Amino acid sequence: MAPEPIFRAVATSTRPLYQLLRCINFAPRVHVQITEEGIRFAADHARVMQGVAFLDKALFAAYTVNLPSSENGEPPELPHFQISLASLLEVLQIFGAVDVATRAQKAEQDPYRSNLRNYRPDAFSNQTLGISGTCTLTYVEEGDPFKITIEESGVKTTAGLTTYMPEIPEDIPFDRNNLAFKIIMQSRSLLDSLAEISPTAPIKLTITATKTQPFLALSGTSDLGSSGVDFARGRDLLETFTIAGKWSQTYKYDFIKSSSEAMRIASKVSLRGDGQGVLSLQFMVDMEGGKRSFLDFRFVPFVSHDEDEDDEEEGDDSYQDD
């Protein structure tokens, strides 16, 4: 008799799973941790950029976790491993491939479409036509492949992704007790600001928050020049604005740009900076059925040097060592 799997979840649509996981597809492998509340996917780039996507169990039609009992009476260890995220995304696209292809074409025509339009089925989608299908995620036991079984219109496809020994990346430390500023704004406004800066091919992005106008400023610099965007303090742009004092830090532009997919599908974003200069971006994504999901990113800034110290450094830039 086959053992009862440690984890099994069934989804009737892979679209929300695909779109959330695609937002953190910037590392060859992601760390997966299965909990009783959902699945946590964490991507890390050299400990200077991290992204986390949490797939809440509410996104699934069925969600079961059977943790093996511990001999010493302590709580059982949660299953965790690494997989190739690119491979998982490729498999998820099999489900409703026609729908995905149609929506991908629409995305190119309207790259700034809202998340509401993202998740709304069209007249020819499988969901509207009543074509049923399921996507089942299974993890039988430690060391086994992470299996995805897609059954649609009588056709079943199973893929087993190799699981690797977990290398749990340490979270980039973010000091909530030393919060320098917090801003909540529409996610699209942040995406539009990056689009305005991008023509100058920026290498660095400086984010500045102040108590007086312009309150929030983004400035990109490169060999071609510089460009910037200022935000006025108004409910239409900045819904929440709290700041302890002037805060200004510089980051690698490409890292911030890596979160642009999250900016595109989210409705709101919370920007926070701590006393060390670590930047936290938390995105709220509205899903079908009134559900919400969150994506979290953290970024480590470039180290600021005095002019005398710059002359002694061999490289132009370095990262803050936490």
Side-chain angles (χ1 to χ4, degrees):
M1 183 177 178
E4 188 174 6
I6 291 176
F7 166 74
R8 184 177 183 273
V10 180
T12 55
S13 172
T14 61
R15 189 173 301 117
L17 313 184
Y18 175 82
Q19 293 210 334
L20 290 172
L21 292 176
R22 184 183 176 189
C23 294
I24 61 168
N25 189 25
F26 56 83
R29 296 178 185 174
V30 290
H31 182 80
V32 183
Q33 186 170 42
I34 297 172
T35 74
E36 294 184 351
E37 299 302 321
I39 321 173
R40 184 181 188 269
F41 292 81
D44 177 86
H45 182 84
R47 291 204 69 226
V48 294
M49 172 185 177
Q50 292 176 344
V52 174
F54 185 75
L55 305 185
D56 193 280
K57 65 180 182 181
L59 297 177
F60 300 90
Y63 188 94
T64 305
V65 177
N66 297 298
L67 300 178
S69 58
S70 177
E71 296 180 357
N72 54 13
E74 296 181 359
E77 184 178 357
L78 297 173
H80 51 94
F81 48 85
Q82 285 190 324
I83 60 172
S84 166
L85 182 56
S87 298
L88 175 58
L89 291 173
E90 186 175 351
V91 174
L92 291 177
Q93 289 184 87
I94 297 175
F95 188 92
V98 175
D99 287 356
V100 172
T102 301
R103 291 171 187 275
Q105 184 178 6
K106 292 180 179 179
E108 294 179 359
Q109 297 171 355
D110 183 12
Y112 296 111
R113 68 194 189 284
S114 71
N115 53 291
L116 293 177
R117 291 167 59 192
N118 260 352
Y119 296 115
R120 182 181 299 144
D122 57 40
F124 298 98
S125 69
N126 284 350
Q127 181 180 350
T128 303
L129 294 174
I131 301 175
S132 61
T134 59
C135 173
T136 304
L137 309 179
T138 309
Y139 185 59
V140 177
E141 59 183 4
E142 184 179 356
D144 275 8
F146 187 67
K147 292 185 179 180
I148 303 97
T149 302
I150 293 174
E151 190 169 0
E152 191 173 18
S153 303
V155 179
K156 180 183 289 187
T157 304
T158 300
L161 302 184
T162 301
T163 56
Y164 302 92
M165 291 293 292
E167 297 178 6
I168 305 177
E170 294 183 16
D171 289 342
I172 293 175
F174 184 77
D175 192 354
R176 293 178 176 83
N177 295 322
N178 187 20
L179 202 62
F181 80 95
K182 178 179 179 180
I183 295 173
I184 297 177
M185 60 191 295
Q186 291 185 358
S187 183
R188 179 167 176 171
S189 297
L190 186 58
L191 179 62
D192 289 343
S193 68
L194 291 185
E196 291 187 33
I197 295 172
S198 63
T200 58
I203 298 174
K204 298 180 181 180
L205 180 71
T206 300
I207 300 176
T208 303
T210 57
K211 290 186 175 182
T212 57
Q213 286 189 339
F215 302 109
L216 175 64
L218 276 63
S219 176
T221 57
S222 69
D223 296 337
L224 300 178
S226 62
S227 57
V229 176
D230 294 341
F231 291 87
R233 186 177 180 181
R235 292 289 296 180
D236 54 335
L237 288 177
L238 306 180
E239 297 184 12
T240 297
F241 183 90
T242 58
I243 183 170
K246 182 179 179 180
W247 186 94
S248 184
Q249 296 290 342
T250 301
Y251 306 87
K252 187 172 182 179
Y253 176 82
D254 284 347
F255 288 167
I256 306 296
K257 185 181 177 182
S258 294
S259 64
S260 59
E261 180 66 16
M263 298 178 196
R264 185 182 65 79
I265 70 170
S267 57
K268 295 182 181 181
V269 58
S270 171
L271 296 84
R272 296 177 300 169
D274 69 4
Q276 302 180 89
V278 174
L279 176 67
S280 168
L281 300 181
Q282 184 179 67
F283 298 92
M284 184 179 74
V285 183
D286 296 323
M287 317 296 283
E288 287 182 343
K291 302 182 182 69
R292 287 177 174 174
S293 290
F294 293 89
L295 296 159
D296 292 283
F297 291 82
R298 290 182 184 181
F299 306 90
V300 174
F302 283 110
V303 175
S304 298
H305 296 287
D306 294 333
E307 291 182 4
D308 294 338
E309 292 176 334
D310 283 340
D311 294 336
E312 298 175 1
E313 294 289 336
E314 293 182 3
D316 292 334
D317 302 295
S318 59
Y319 283 102
Q320 187 169 315
D321 185 14
D322 296 298

